[in-house]
């Protein structure tokens, strides 16, 4: 078994109602918080007001920044970092989905270092900087950003969506309260479910070594998503179902799912980030559109893994057909054409993917410009 690292310096507070502990927990970290959200859902669902009340009741001054867009942009992050510095914030609280949590991690780094966040992505900034304390509060079961030190951000000027990892942007505290996801609409719920499934299936299929612990953890988590997502889409207020999806989301994009080796690669993600960078599409939609052709492309080199997926996750002989049927069942059969992608852009998309996600070159069947264009074409 190859050597792998497990480092997760995050204090998790997990469970229905754990959101009420925000004030007490944040008070461990500082006195002035930048409370980061998207532009509408936290206000419309009352969660922003609740968070502000919790913080005030525990003596924390909160400055609200409610301008994070889906597929968070570097320009937004830098603007928020300036506000954090001007207010001498010592805590950055991300209350929202993956876009908000990722933006918050980066705001914490940019505010501490005083340099534009994209300079960290280019390796030009001082890497020794220690980000401000981060509190992550996921309100969508999808990214698992509450459980890692990664952030996926977009430089909209250059249309580059990149993964930034930094040793100091683990959340100090992650409050994972499934009740916060009860207001997520069906389409976003389904997009999130596909994202969780892809976090698990990509590494499961590309893993160069399989280990019982790691495979079982991923298979159980995939089964949870496959079985639970249709139930939640039928009944959006199904708190037990929402709890299962939230837990799978936290596990799927954390080192829990690579503990014990058999890490695998996130190469489908690399192809999708190019789509979001150029078309600003929802991450889960881009993944759903590419997943089947990515599996077919990988089959020659990972037949046995894809058969194992079929048997152990779907109880079916053909893992690709079973996945396709599931996508249909949850209303996530997506085609690039319907998502607004232009055929004339395929080459630019492929170059973008190779530039911003260089790890795709190590896919079990090497991905290059022509093979990536082939996957985009067949997903059109
Ligand atoms: O914009 P607001 O008002 O916040 O509304 C959001 C947004 O429109 C809304 N929403 C969030 N919580 C809600 C809610 N609506 C009702 N009730 C609630 N409780 O949902 C919409 C989508 O939010 P977003 O954060 O964009 O979705 P998601 O959580 O799927 O995150 C997607 C982002 O995560 C990144 C993706 O690249 C994408 O930018 N990822 C981050 C990863 C990580 N850090 O580990 C890994 C993932 O693979 C992923 O790439
Ligand atoms: Zn993802």
């Amino acid at each position: 078994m190859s050597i792998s690292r497990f480092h997760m310096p995050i204090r998790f507070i997990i469970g229905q109602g754990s959101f009420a502990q925000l004030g007490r927990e944040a008070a461990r970290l500082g006195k002035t918080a930048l409370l980061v959200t998207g532009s509408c859902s936290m206000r419309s669902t009352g969660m922003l007001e609740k968070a502000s009340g919790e913080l005030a009741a525990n003596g924390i001054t909160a400055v609200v920044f409610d301008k994070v867009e889906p597929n968070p942009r570097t320009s937004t992050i830098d603007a928020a970092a300036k506000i954090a510095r001007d207010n001498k914030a010592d805590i950055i609280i991300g209350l929202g989905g993956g876009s908000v949590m990722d933006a918050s991690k980066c705001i914490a780094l940019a505010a501490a270092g005083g340099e534009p966040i994209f300079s960290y992505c280019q390796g030009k900034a001082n890497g020794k900087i220690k980000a401000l304390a981060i509190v992550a509060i996921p309100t969508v079961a999808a990214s698992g950003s509450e459980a890692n030190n990664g952030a996926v951000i977009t430089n909209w000027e250059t249309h580059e969506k990149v993964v930034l990892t930094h040793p100091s942007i683990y959340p100090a505290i992650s409050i994972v309260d499934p009740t916060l996801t009860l207001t997520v609409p069906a389409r976003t719920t389904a997009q999130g479910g596909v994202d969780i499934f892809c976090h698990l299936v990509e590494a499961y299929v590309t893993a160069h070594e399989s280990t019982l612990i790691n495979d079982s953890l991923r298979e159980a988590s995939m089964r949870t998503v496959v079985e639970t997502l249709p139930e939640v889409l039928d009944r959006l207020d199904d708190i037990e179902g929402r709890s299962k999806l939230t837990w799978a989301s936290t596990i799927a994009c954390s080192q829990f799912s690579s503990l014990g080796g058999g890490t695998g690669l996130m190469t489908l993600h690399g192809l999708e980030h190019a789509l979001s960078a150029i078309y600003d599409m929802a991450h889960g939609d881009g993944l759903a559109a590419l997943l089947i052709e990515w599996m077919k492309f990988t089959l020659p080199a990972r037949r046995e893994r894809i058969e194992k997926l079929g048997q152990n996750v779907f109880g079916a002989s053909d893992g690709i057909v079973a996945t396709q049927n599931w996508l249909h069942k949850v209303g996530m059969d997506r085609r690039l054409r319907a998502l607004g992608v232009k055929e004339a852009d395929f080459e630019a998309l492929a170059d973008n993917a190779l530039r911003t996600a260089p790890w795709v070159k190590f896919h079990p069947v090497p991905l290059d410009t022509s093979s990536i264009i082939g996957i985009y074409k067949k997903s059109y």
Side-chain angles (χ1 to χ4, degrees):
M1 181 170 81
S2 57
I3 295 175
S4 55
R5 270 197 223 142
F6 185 89
H7 179 64
M8 219 169 171
I10 302 170
R11 179 180 162 78
F12 282 97
I13 295 100
I14 296 178
Q16 296 170 27
S18 54
F19 185 42
Q21 298 188 29
L22 167 61
R24 207 176 335 154
E25 287 296 326
R28 293 166 173 265
L29 301 172
K31 299 299 281 172
T32 305
L34 185 76
L35 179 51
V36 181
T37 74
S39 56
C40 62
S41 66
M42 292 304 102
R43 208 173 285 283
S44 60
T45 55
M47 285 183 230
L48 176 58
E49 196 185 336
K50 230 167 153 190
S52 307
E54 278 297 326
L55 294 169
N58 285 274
I60 297 174
T61 308
V63 176
V64 174
F65 181 83
D66 60 354
K67 297 183 175 50
V68 175
E69 59 278 288
N71 298 320
R73 298 184 183 182
T74 51
S75 50
T76 307
I77 288 161
D78 289 339
K82 183 169 178 332
I83 295 169
R85 286 169 72 90
D86 293 350
N87 287 278
K88 297 192 179 27
D90 44 15
I91 321 167
I92 307 295
I93 299 174
L95 173 63
S99 295
V100 164
M101 290 188 284
D102 284 1
S104 302
K105 291 173 173 176
C106 293
I107 293 165
L109 186 59
E115 298 185 70
I117 192 62
F118 203 61
S119 56
Y120 290 91
C121 306
Q122 295 166 314
K124 290 182 186 153
N126 168 6
K128 297 250 176 305
I129 288 292
K130 195 167 167 346
L132 301 179
I134 299 158
V135 177
I137 312 168
T139 62
V140 186
S143 67
S145 181
E146 67 276 12
N148 63 44
N149 65 323
V152 193
I153 57 178
T154 302
N155 180 331
W156 193 245
E157 278 76 61
T158 60
H159 286 290
E160 291 174 295
K161 179 165 178 144
V162 294
V163 179
L164 173 65
T165 55
H166 191 278
S168 77
I169 63 171
Y170 286 96
I173 295 172
S174 289
I175 298 178
V176 185
D177 183 344
T179 60
L180 305 185
T181 67
L182 284 167
T183 50
V184 179
R187 181 167 178 130
T188 308
T189 300
Q191 290 162 344
V194 168
D195 194 15
I196 302 166
F197 182 80
C198 289
H199 295 153
L200 296 156
V201 78
E202 288 177 59
Y204 180 86
V205 165
T206 60
H208 52 287
E209 60 178 3
S210 82
T211 63
L212 179 63
I213 292 178
N214 194 308
D215 278 359
S216 310
L217 184 83
R218 285 201 177 116
E219 287 164 359
S221 304
M222 284 189 274
R223 272 199 311 277
T224 299
V225 178
V226 163
E227 290 157 14
T228 309
L229 183 59
E231 293 165 3
V232 171
L233 291 173
D234 270 349
R235 225 164 39 84
L236 292 175
D237 64 352
D238 171 2
I239 184 59
E240 288 319 311
R242 292 283 192 178
S243 300
K244 290 178 195 166
L245 289 178
T246 306
W247 184 222
S249 172
T250 299
I251 286 248
C253 221
S254 75
Q255 284 171 26
F256 271 124
S257 61
S258 50
L259 183 59
T263 44
L265 285 166
M266 300 286 279
T267 53
L268 169 62
H269 264 67
L271 305 190
E272 193 292 317
H273 288 169
L275 294 173
S276 292
I278 294 182
Y279 294 98
D280 203 15
M281 70 173 69
H283 177 56
D285 279 348
L287 292 170
L290 299 174
L291 176 56
I292 299 306
E293 290 306 329
W294 175 87
M295 289 176 93
K296 287 179 184 167
F297 177 77
T298 313
L299 184 65
R302 286 291 189 278
R303 188 172 302 278
E304 166 260 332
R305 299 294 288 170
I306 291 176
E307 277 165 9
K308 200 165 179 242
L309 170 80
Q311 280 141 24
N312 296 356
V313 173
F314 293 99
S317 54
D318 186 322
I320 297 178
V321 169
T323 303
Q324 192 153 25
N325 292 341
W326 177 69
L327 286 175
H328 179 71
K329 184 174 179 186
V330 296
M332 286 296 286
D333 337 60
R334 294 280 182 276
R335 303 296 301 176
L336 294 186
R337 180 200 307 260
L339 292 171
V341 175
K342 305 237 177 342
E343 283 188 278
D345 287 346
F346 284 160
E347 182 141 5
L349 280 165
D351 291 344
N352 187 302
L354 285 164
R355 192 172 68 249
T356 58
W359 68 87
V360 299
K361 290 195 253 323
F362 305 112
H363 187 69
V365 184
L367 283 163
D368 57 20
T369 303
S370 66
S371 54
I372 296 172
I373 290 173
I375 291 173
Y376 286 142
K377 268 198 179 135
K378 289 180 194 137
S379 307
Y380 193 69

